[in-house]
Every structure is written in structure tokens, then in C-alpha cells.
Amino acid sequence: KQEVTQIPAALSVPEGENLVLNCSFTDSAIYNLQWFRQDPGKGLTSLLLIQSSQREQTSGRLNASLDKSSGRSTLYIAASQPGDSATYLCAVEGYNTDKLIFGTGTRLQVFP
Amino acid sequence: DAGVTQSPTHLIKTRGQQVTLRCSPKSGHDTVSWYQQALGQGPQFIFQYYEEEERQRGNFPDRFSGHQFPNYSSELNVNALLLGDSALYLCASSYNTENEAFFGQGTRLTVV
């Protein structure tokens, strides 16, 4: 059974710091991995999608890497801003299954 | 492009009642998935619809049922509501079943 874990559960940093959020999964047979952002009480905004054949994806100040063999992904946020404050969720989709399995998220607060 | 839209945004129901939540997928998408997110947790997969049929189902009781219409929009029905059904219900759409998922803003259901 696939399990997804995110560390740390919460993070509070001053503006301008570079951040690394971690996601680990127990079954390496994944089809893709997706990172999402969620503001309080709101839906999910897709940030980056990494297919199983890819090693990383970049969008602006965000970079996500994937190491299937070790069951790990990291989301790197460069030069953090207060507007980055949100909960970040990672989710994996396995082969022969159409559902996303989520971690419990990392709650990020960036203060001025 | 309106993206994934869900209605209503908030809903309060009494134990034992029935509720219907609605979702319109992103333009060009034909697959709709429903998730339940309890406070402080990651979303949990309920089921997925493709070509008007339920393709896959998560670990939810039969009180949870759904439907997909020819225009790809979808409904989630929950019967005999319990207090524990209080959660944020998220709809996600994608093109076919194994592509990037886009989420709506969710419906906050409170059962009293």
C-alpha cells in the first residue's frame, strides 16, 4: 500500500530564505508525482508535475526533483516571499491506478 | 477558461440528510475525480468517473455515490450524513485518466 510522508509538517522562515520541502513515498512504482499549493480553506493549485521518466521540473522560483529509486521528491523554493505562505502537498499516482495519494502537507509561513 | 468549478462553496446539513455536490471540469477534460479532505489532512480519494462510468473507488461506504453526465460534469451524492462527513470536498479534472489533475476550490460541508 502506497504511503506518502511529508517533512517537516510546519516551517516558519524569514523572507528571502531558500527552502527545501521533502516528500517520500513507499512504493517506487509511480506514474507521476505532483506538487500542489493550498491556501487556508481553499482548493489545490497545481505547481509542478514530474513524470516518472523525468528527474526534475522547474517553474519560476520553484524546482521539484524526483528520485524514484529512493522514493523521494523535494520542492525547492528560492528567495521565499510572504506570498508563498500556504500548505504544500505532494501526491503520487501509481501505475494501473487513477487516484492520487497525498501526503499530509507542509504548512509554510514566510514572515517579512 | 474557467477552470474546474464546484458548487456550492459552503453547505450546512443536519445528520441523516442527503447532499449533492456539483463539479464542472476544466474545458477539454473528460475525467472527474472526487476527494474528501478532513481538517489538517491530505485529500482522500473517493472515486473517479470517465466516460460516464465509475472507474475506480476509494475506501468509502456506499453512502457516497456519484454520476457523470454526457457533458463530463459530475455530481457527488452523500446519503444519511454523519458528523464525520464534515470536510472539504474537492473535485479534480484531467484529460483522460493519467494526466495532470486540476482541482476546483472545493465545497465546505458542515454536518450538524
Side-chain angles (χ1 to χ4, degrees), chain B residues 33-109:
Chain B
S33 303
W34 287 92
Y35 291 80
Q36 180 195 67
Q37 186 178 25
L39 203 61
Q41 300 298 314
Q44 298 292 316
F45 176 79
I46 303 175
F47 42 53
Q48 183 184 79
Y49 279 85
Y50 174 67
E51 293 188 342
E52 301 181 50
E53 291 191 359
E54 183 181 294
R55 277 180 54 92
Q56 191 171 3
R57 188 180 183 91
N59 189 25
F60 280 80
D62 291 344
R63 298 187 297 109
F64 289 77
S65 63
H67 188 77
Q68 186 178 35
F69 299 93
N71 66 354
Y72 307 118
S73 66
S74 176
E75 288 183 348
L76 164 65
N77 300 293
V78 187
N79 295 322
L81 284 166
L82 304 174
L83 296 179
D85 294 331
S86 295
L88 181 66
Y89 288 85
L90 296 163
C91 170
S93 75
S94 62
Y95 173 67
N96 210 328
T97 59
E98 294 180 341
N99 290 287
E100 185 175 5
F102 291 84
F103 282 76
Q105 289 300 295
T107 294
R108 170 68 63 186
L109 172 65

Side-chain angles (χ1 to χ4, degrees), chain A residues 31 34 38 46 97-98 100, chain B residues 35 37 48 55-56 100-101:
Chain A
Y31 184 73
Q34 205 166 346
Q38 186 173 34
S46 178
T97 176
D98 304 318
L100 291 173
Chain B
Y35 291 80
Q37 186 178 25
Q48 183 184 79
R55 277 180 54 92
Q56 191 171 3
E100 185 175 5

Side-chain angles (χ1 to χ4, degrees), chain A residues 97-110:
Chain A
T97 176
D98 304 318
K99 65 181 180 181
L100 291 173
I101 298 175
F102 285 83
T104 53
T106 293
R107 190 172 65 254
L108 172 65
Q109 181 182 14
V110 181

Side-chain angles (χ1 to χ4, degrees), chain A residues 60-72:
Chain A
R61 294 182 294 108
L62 304 179
N63 175 276
S65 66
L66 174 63
D67 184 344
K68 273 182 52 178
S69 61
S70 67
R72 294 182 182 181

Side-chain angles (χ1 to χ4, degrees), chain A residues 16-55:
Chain A
E17 280 204 4
N18 299 324
L19 309 171
V20 176
L21 308 182
N22 297 293
C23 172
S24 62
F25 44 95
T26 55
D27 185 351
S28 62
I30 64 169
Y31 184 73
N32 61 45
L33 182 145
Q34 205 166 346
W35 282 93
F36 296 90
R37 167 186 173 137
Q38 186 173 34
D39 293 292
K42 303 297 185 181
L44 307 183
T45 300
S46 178
L47 298 174
L48 291 165
L49 170 73
I50 310 177
Q51 301 286 359
S52 61
S53 58
Q54 298 174 320
R55 297 283 293 181

